[in-house]
Amino acid sequence: MNKPKVIVTRHLPCEVEAQLTQLYDVQLNESDVPLSADELKHALQTADAVLTTVTDAITADVLSVPNKRAKIIGQFGVGYNNIDIQAAKAEGITVTNTPHVLTDCTADIAMLLLLMSARRAAEGERLILNKQWTGWTPTQLLGQKVTGKTLGLIGFGRIAQAMAKKAHHGFDMNIIYYTPTSTPEQAVLNDLKATRCSSIDELLAQADFVSLHCPSGATTKHLINEARLKLMRPTAHLINTARGDVVDSNALIKALKEGWIAGAGLDVYESEPNLNPEFLTLNNVALLPHLGSASHETRTAMGNRVLANIDAFFAGHEPCDRVV
Ligand code: DGY
């Protein structure tokens, strides 16, 4: 029997590519250059499965290409805002993602950004890199103590809860959260002594650190806008490891410049990788290049999860992480 044909849009960890090569008639992307819209269309026409990432714009136009062969898109990532899910559903294409396996690594990066922003770590490193550090002084780069402060989580899914656990048990932080959707388990809430806020605005007014954990979409686009940034404390920090478009970057730049908030730690941006160049001129922002899940262990686990999904699909079973 012929092996199903699989097209992989980006270079994946070697172990994952080796496994794919063994199981499927696979076309890898060794150059790692993202595919164009036409190349993505061609992939849908020539493969049984296409393995995508956050950098592939799988729009309604791409999905509506005629004579499609692909029956499944296996997204390498928990977020799938790069895929027009309604269009995929209408085209009868199954979409899967890779939840669970990147929870801790992404929560680690959120904690890293929280600490960097609070303790002015990026600013301190720039001082050294620019050869401007003249030595210790009692008042140099004073940041904010993290231990015992209040962390406000917007969205309270797996990654938010993992961050809350690290913050509460590691840094004795008070946890408050807002979620419009999920009902967290009582045992989790008891363990974290977490308090639910009845609105985002209530949370913003109370938190010393605000960390975003909601998906990208029509209801969350620019959720953090000028009016909401003004509700935050002038000593507060905003952390974003979710998706760039959840924050209005022009409003955030204004807030950081004018001191409405003390700082921000960002891993994701609107229009990645072309972040607003004004961010580069600010001292009170820590910037990372979308590193949330970037550890060897996690990226390999994500690849294995994509494999498990497509293996199940081709074996005629329900993939465990089916989105549509
Ligand atoms: C995710 O899994 O959503 C990461 O941000 C990479 O896409």
Side-chain angles (χ1 to χ4, degrees):
M1 207 178 82
N2 284 344
K3 291 177 179 176
K5 165 106 179 166
V6 174
I7 293 185
V8 186
T9 64
R10 301 300 300 266
H11 177 42
L12 298 183
C14 299
E15 303 88 315
V16 178
E17 291 193 345
Q19 187 75 356
L20 277 163
T21 307
Q22 211 182 338
L23 295 172
Y24 296 103
D25 170 14
V26 73
Q27 179 183 312
L28 301 172
N29 181 357
E30 272 151 37
S31 72
D32 204 20
V33 176
L35 304 191
S36 66
D38 282 344
E39 287 167 328
L40 289 169
K41 286 179 183 175
H42 186 67
L44 290 170
Q45 287 173 320
T46 51
D48 298 297
V50 182
L51 268 51
T52 55
T53 74
V54 66
T55 57
D56 300 308
I58 311 293
T59 59
D61 173 56
V62 167
L63 286 160
S64 66
V65 66
N67 307 320
K68 274 182 290 299
R69 174 168 162 187
K71 293 279 177 292
I72 178 167
I73 294 176
Q75 168 86 348
F76 178 90
V78 67
Y80 45 83
N81 57 306
N82 56 303
I83 303 173
D84 187 324
I85 290 298
Q86 288 317 316
K89 193 174 176 184
E91 295 288 341
I93 299 181
T94 297
V95 178
T96 59
N97 69 341
T98 60
H100 303 286
V101 290
L102 45 65
T103 301
D104 262 308
C105 269
T106 309
D108 290 350
I109 287 286
M111 275 311 292
L112 173 68
L113 284 168
L114 185 156
L115 291 165
M116 285 177 79
S117 193
R119 301 299 305 275
R120 302 173 66 176
E123 202 178 338
E125 190 184 42
R126 278 194 291 271
L127 201 68
I128 293 184
L129 292 176
N130 293 334
K131 300 197 169 34
Q132 286 167 342
W133 187 41
T134 51
W136 188 90
T137 85
T139 55
Q140 186 179 50
L141 287 181
L142 305 187
Q144 283 174 42
K145 186 174 171 180
V146 169
T147 300
K149 295 283 173 63
T150 296
L151 170 62
L153 298 142
I154 298 183
F156 203 55
R158 289 178 292 265
I159 297 172
Q161 290 180 25
M163 182 186 191
K165 201 167 157 189
K166 294 169 202 293
H168 182 65
H169 293 300
F171 294 87
D172 203 18
M173 295 183 85
N174 307 314
I175 306 299
I176 60 176
Y177 69 95
Y178 172 78
T179 174
T181 48
S182 59
T183 315
E185 282 174 32
Q186 196 54 48
V188 172
L189 297 179
N190 293 346
D191 176 49
L192 300 171
K193 297 193 179 66
T195 308
R196 187 177 192 280
C197 294
S198 58
S199 68
I200 293 178
D201 294 1
E202 184 189 322
L203 179 144
L204 293 173
Q206 289 179 24
D208 297 305
F209 298 90
V210 174
S211 189
L212 304 175
H213 299 280
C214 42
S216 162
T219 55
T220 56
K221 186 173 165 69
H222 290 184
L223 187 81
I224 302 299
N225 54 20
E226 197 165 315
R228 288 212 160 112
L229 286 161
K230 283 188 173 152
L231 294 176
M232 290 176 67
R233 299 175 171 190
T235 49
H237 296 253
L238 179 72
I239 310 304
N240 190 8
T241 55
R243 282 292 183 259
D245 62 0
V246 177
V247 179
D248 176 348
S249 27
N250 288 325
L252 176 59
I253 286 165
K254 205 165 161 197
L256 291 166
K257 272 188 176 165
E258 297 182 7
W260 311 347
I261 63 173
L266 308 176
D267 189 41
V268 287
Y269 308 88
E270 294 189 277
S271 317
E272 287 179 22
N274 303 312
L275 61 160
N276 189 320
E278 282 211 66
F279 279 125
L280 309 185
T281 68
L282 298 173
N283 260 334
N284 51 352
V285 63
L287 305 168
L288 296 180
H290 203 146
L291 292 182
S293 59
S295 70
H296 288 293
E297 296 90 335
T298 296
R299 288 283 163 85
T300 304
M302 287 163 71
N304 290 337
R305 193 97 187 183
V306 184
L307 264 161
N309 281 312
I310 63 166
D311 289 350
F313 183 84
F314 289 122
H317 306 305
E318 181 68 11
C320 58
D321 305 313
R322 187 181 182 135
V323 177
V324 286

